[in-house]
Amino acid sequence: MNSASKQQPNARTATLGVIGHPVGHSLSPLLHNTLLWRLRLDACYHAFDVEPAQLPRAVEGAAALGFLGLNVTVPHKQGVFRLCDELSDEARILKAVNTLFFRPDGTIFGANTDPYGFRRALTEFLPNLQAFTALVLGAGGAARSVLLALSELGATTVWIANRTLSRAQRLATELAPQLPGPITLRPIGLEPRELESALKSSSLVVNATSVGMSPNTNGTPLPEGVSLRPGTAVVDLIYNPFETRLLRQAREAGCKVENGLNMLIFQAVASLEIWFGRRLDFDADVFAELRDILVSALGKTLERSRPVSS
Ligand code: ATR
């Protein structure tokens, strides 16, 4: 890439960003600005810390200033819902928005690119998935996105294991009728016996809880004594640390493992595709470079870890 291609912003440069609270540790500016530069898209991406009480004013202000779009992160994913004029199917089903597109006609389109990000990362990790059973750990927003993606990928049965069983039950009841394809959702708690039986029938396990995330890297969402079968595919949505304790245990047990970094990248690409209105392709070299940049940003500890995906 020559220096001329890395142009300074000018009067036509589009403005993009992420709103959250807090947002100081977000990887999104680095991820998006690298993608924008590599894909030669004339836009700049910033992080905006927006207090919940300021959310409507912030979104209105961004629209008035002619922003092209915004990503939305914790705690605003539900709050922006009612500020949208139109919603994507995924955003409606998940009741959460992670991408706002300020259309030229003045309307606001709200989308959720997390299920796409997970689906695309999983398809690359496990290209031959069909009619499978999975175990999802967690019943929050991340788990909802995973369930939608798994249903689109042809899962027939998904166990939803959560510390708070009632939350898993509510999620299953609410989500099942809205998922594409025939799928059975089976809520369970974290009792070892229930988990062992779910694990027996599952070819895929997904951690959609925050357990094991830095700085609490000693945590693991599976209780002591519950073991993974060799050959099971295990995905942890966490990418910091690069290899969680769950993924390390899974790797040592002979499982195929993957962390959440590719999902992060693919959900970002999907947001850019919404904002720029076209499919964005990039080659394996750009993808590898992007991963390297993100891994170094995640810190020296992570640099020492080997990538967990194939
Ligand atoms: P997100 O939107 O990222 O999914 P969330 O909605 O707060 O975040 O959900 C976090 C998930 O991690 C929940 O499933 C939560 O379990 P509860 O519903 O019982 O709270 C799970 N979780 C968080 N901390 C946990 C812990 N220490 N042990 C087990 N599960 C935990």
Side-chain angles (χ1 to χ4, degrees):
M1 173 106 351
N2 60 45
S3 58
S5 60
K6 201 174 185 181
Q7 281 179 352
Q8 294 298 321
N10 60 52
R12 285 181 306 278
T13 302
T15 303
L16 296 168
V18 56
I19 52 173
H21 181 68
V23 83
H25 295 296
S26 173
L27 276 184
S28 292
L30 178 65
L31 168 52
H32 277 274
N33 284 316
T34 305
L35 275 168
L36 289 166
W37 170 42
R38 290 310 241 146
L39 299 172
R40 295 166 191 249
L41 297 166
D42 189 14
C44 261
Y45 189 104
H46 310 265
F48 301 101
D49 192 324
V50 175
E51 299 256 0
Q54 296 297 326
L55 184 63
R57 289 182 67 211
V59 171
E60 235 173 72
L65 286 167
F67 280 27
L68 179 59
L70 286 172
N71 281 133
V72 183
T73 188
V74 181
H76 300 314
K77 286 186 176 189
Q78 286 80 30
V80 294
F81 201 76
R82 61 182 178 281
L83 305 173
C84 297
D85 298 294
E86 201 189 322
L87 293 164
S88 71
D89 289 344
E90 288 85 358
R92 211 175 33 251
I93 292 172
L94 299 174
K95 294 198 173 65
V97 164
N98 79 341
T99 304
L100 295 175
F101 173 36
F102 300 104
R103 287 167 163 156
D105 67 2
T107 59
I108 302 177
F109 178 66
N112 194 316
T113 62
D114 285 336
Y116 171 88
F118 181 75
R119 204 173 65 228
R120 191 155 163 199
L122 193 65
T123 310
E124 297 210 352
F125 176 52
L126 305 170
N128 300 318
L129 265 184
Q130 48 184 322
F132 59 100
T133 293
L135 166 63
V136 173
L137 302 164
R144 291 173 85 95
S145 288
V146 167
L147 290 168
L148 179 51
L150 292 180
S151 158
E152 288 165 346
L153 287 171
T156 49
T157 301
V158 181
W159 302 87
I160 307 171
N162 200 46
R163 176 179 60 180
T164 313
L165 173 60
S166 58
R167 197 172 177 203
Q169 288 166 331
R170 259 200 325 275
L171 173 61
T173 309
E174 194 196 320
L175 206 54
Q178 302 189 66
L179 295 178
I183 184 168
T184 307
L185 300 182
R186 299 199 162 167
I188 56 174
L190 293 182
E191 294 303 318
R193 252 201 348 216
E194 281 180 307
L195 280 170
E196 296 272 12
S197 125
L199 281 166
K200 243 182 234 155
S201 62
S202 301
S203 54
L204 169 68
V205 175
V206 181
N207 177 34
T209 76
S210 46
V211 183
M213 192 184 288
S214 179
N216 302 314
T217 52
N218 245 338
T220 173
L222 283 180
E224 287 297 321
V226 173
S227 45
L228 292 155
R229 285 184 303 126
T232 307
V234 179
V235 178
D236 199 325
L237 299 194
I238 296 170
Y239 48 82
N240 186 9
F242 208 79
E243 186 177 67
T244 56
R245 190 168 158 206
L246 173 70
L247 286 191
R248 192 178 67 244
Q249 287 168 336
R251 184 169 49 75
E252 287 166 1
C255 300
K256 191 169 154 62
V257 295
E258 165 90 343
N259 72 6
L261 196 63
N262 284 359
M263 176 185 178
L264 181 78
I265 294 173
F266 287 128
Q267 62 79 34
V269 172
S271 293
L272 288 170
E273 289 182 343
I274 290 172
W275 296 325
F276 288 92
R278 62 186 167 91
R279 175 146 178 116
L280 300 170
D281 288 313
F282 48 89
D283 57 33
D285 287 349
V286 173
F287 194 76
E289 182 197 58
L290 191 57
R291 280 181 59 99
D292 282 350
I293 289 171
L294 294 171
V295 170
S296 359
L298 283 167
K300 293 211 177 306
T301 332
L302 303 182
E303 273 182 38
R304 281 200 299 273
S305 313
R306 297 295 308 150
V308 290
S309 61
S310 51

